[in-house]
Amino acid sequence: MSPTARRRRISRRAVVTLALLLSVGVVVTGLVQAAPPPPPPPAPAPGGLGPRLAAVMAKPAYRHAQWGLFQQNPRTGRVVRSRFADQFFIPGSTAKLFSVSGTWHTLGGDHRFVTPVYAVGQRRQATLRGDLVLVAQGDLTLGGRTRRNGTVAYTPIDHTYANDVPGATLTPENPLAGLDHLARQVRAAGIRRVDGDVLVDARLFRPDPDLDPTPTPMIVNDNVIDLLTSPGRAAGSPAALEVRPKVAPYRVTSSVRTVAAGKPTAIAVRSSPDGTRIQLSGTIAAGSAPVLRISPVKDPTAFGRTALIEALRRAGVQVTANPVGPRPAARLPRSYRGVPAVARYTSPPYREYARLILKVSHNLGANLGMCLMATTTGSTDCEDGFPVLAAFLDAAKVDRKAVQLADGRGGNPADRTTPRALAQILTYWQRTGEARNFREALPVLGVDGTLADSCRHCPSRGKVFAKTGTAAGIDALNDRLAVGAETIAGYLETGKGRFDVFFAGVNGAATPTAAIQGVLTIGDDVADAAALLQQKSGG
């Protein structure tokens, strides 16, 4: 670790420690958490905004809140609308516009992650006397979301949010697809038996606990176990449970019971300290849709090793090593020069992963970008990704002093940005050959991603391309939710082939009760504000 990175880590850890003291009981809603914003300066009158937009901003939920707006023509530079454009706002997940942009630029939109498996040892006919080693490359899905056409699948509410946001669903793809692909290649290479071990080399970068969720070089199914509960046939009967992926030694038990239709559905998940024993309890209403929950994988490297051994056995390769035994990291070679690769898995291009991250607000993928940028400098310290991002923002003509980031996802209490800075990163993309790819990687109003259910039948449907962000936590004093941020930033279609960059958002709002629906309502208001801006622009 460089001295500069060490200083950054020490000071950032102090901030994170303070944040933990401030955020006890935080509820992540969509999708970040953050400390309350500073008191806003007096707001200007909303003159010129139009009565409908002014009515949205004047709702009781925003009595003590600060709204910000910014809209600009990126070709001419003409500012169409501006309200607190140079004030800091808690960005929520709109901060991903910076981190994903930096990773996309640094790696390249065409970059593909190639995960190899090496045969380290001696081959005697169909037997390898030695070790098979998978060298993890930070592939975000390892085939677990890849469709047959090479695109990456996603749903409006991602499974990684299943414990916090109602309505999360699974994609149909097999989360072990990449490992099965590698295992079949090993067999096709002529190996039928491994008299040695199967290892995962996860030395690409060191997991940084200051990034939450923490990226790891080896990732299978977003480092979670999916737990899908369906109601039984009648009240009183046990609920059905589907678990994926099924990998030893993870074991799941459920005491969830079916209750009468219309009764509350409430399912809780508990796990052992090592994560391998998972228990579900609670109720599910008869006739209701299946309910998804997740449980974290505590040791992704060990999990990946076991999953690979099991995949090899499914492919007809006999492995003598204990699949749940210790990980003998000391057996890893210093170099793979001259060692034959017997399998490779090649990912979709990074722009497809960026699409996933932006469409569903994928926190692990956004944080992973910081680590991947660090590796391009030869560093294994994720902190060294921040100077790479800083250099990119400078080159992209983003006012870096108007951006504060301590992670890639927009979930650290230190994260701040101005509306104008967000407009600057959006303007950068409009001047590149990837302009359309980047714009279409964003959620589309009323169509997909986190905006799929907003404004589905309004005139602006399909004409707003924007990243959303939320920061919310419990206001225990008033038994409600404090919404530190609800934001949106992206592009407004103003005519055929013409797009303005924009920001709309509110900091310091509050819900009437502690129900999550209040946060979703504020999210709808912000989406409506974006739609009204688009409609006023004549697109």
Side-chain angles (χ1 to χ4, degrees), residues 98-108 350 366 369-370 372-373 389:
F98 297 116
S99 60
V100 172
S101 294
T103 310
W104 190 327
H105 171 82
T106 302
L107 299 180
Y350 179 77
M370 304 308 305
L372 295 176
M373 283 187 281
L389 177 58

Side-chain angles (χ1 to χ4, degrees), residues 97-98 101 392-393 396 398 421-429 491:
L97 292 169
F98 297 116
S101 294
F392 160 70
L393 293 179
V398 175
L422 284 165
Q424 289 168 344
I425 192 62
L426 293 161
T427 297
Y428 160 79
W429 283 106
Y491 302 98

